[in-house]
């Protein structure tokens, strides 16, 4: 069971496998500007969502299995090693926790430290 975030024809996509289910933004983001992309998934329900620049652009239900295949993560290309992303990527974060959450700390304490 795999997962991935990619860009195709300027649209941002987030998908999970078994069965392959993908959320695709309607808007194109190949405009030369920086964009913030957040992909979240709740294993218990299978719900996964894609946000771009703070706005949810889509959500679907996928499987509830652990997403542990393959044993590596590609950034800027698809898993088979082709279709490389042409552009800049920064601030990649992967976590087993809800976005912005750190165990034992409130979101408010995180904002105060920024």
């Amino acid at each position: 069971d795999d997962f991935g975030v990619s860009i195709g024809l300027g649209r941002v996509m987030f998908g999970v496998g078994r069965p392959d289910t993908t959320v695709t933004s309607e808007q194109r983001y190949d405009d030369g500007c920086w964009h913030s992309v957040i992909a979240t998934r709740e294993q218990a329900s299978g719900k996964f969502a894609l946000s771009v620049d703070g706005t949810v652009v889509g959500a679907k239900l996928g499987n509830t299995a652990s997403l542990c295949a393959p044993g590596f993560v590609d950034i800027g290309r698809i898993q088979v090693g082709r279709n490389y992303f042409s552009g800049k990527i920064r601030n990649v974060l992967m976590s087993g926790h809800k976005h912005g959450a750190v165990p034992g700390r409130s979101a408010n304490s995180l904002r105060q430290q920024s």
Side-chain angles (χ1 to χ4, degrees):
D1 295 317
D2 63 344
F3 66 96
V5 177
S6 59
I7 297 176
L9 301 174
R11 290 172 175 80
V12 181
M13 299 175 281
F14 173 39
V16 298
R18 292 186 196 233
D20 286 338
T21 309
T22 304
V23 171
T24 304
S25 69
E26 289 185 26
Q27 182 177 336
R28 294 176 62 125
Y29 293 95
D30 54 350
D31 55 9
C33 298
W34 284 105
H35 296 283
S36 174
V37 175
I38 298 174
T40 59
R41 175 183 177 257
E42 182 181 271
Q43 182 178 357
S45 68
K47 181 179 179 181
F48 65 101
L50 176 66
S51 298
V52 179
D53 297 332
T55 301
V56 176
V57 298
K60 290 188 178 181
L61 286 177
N63 72 56
T64 57
S66 292
L67 301 180
C68 55
F72 59 92
V73 174
D74 276 313
I75 298 175
R77 71 174 189 168
I78 61 173
Q79 293 280 329
V80 294
R82 58 189 165 101
N83 296 340
Y84 288 85
F85 172 71
S86 176
K88 298 177 182 176
I89 299 174
R90 70 174 179 189
N91 300 335
V92 175
L93 171 67
M94 295 183 69
S95 171
H97 304 285
K98 186 174 180 177
H99 176 70
V102 175
R105 300 179 111 172
S106 70
N108 193 33
S109 68
L110 291 173
R111 276 190 221 99
Q112 292 172 354
Q113 293 179 2
S114 300

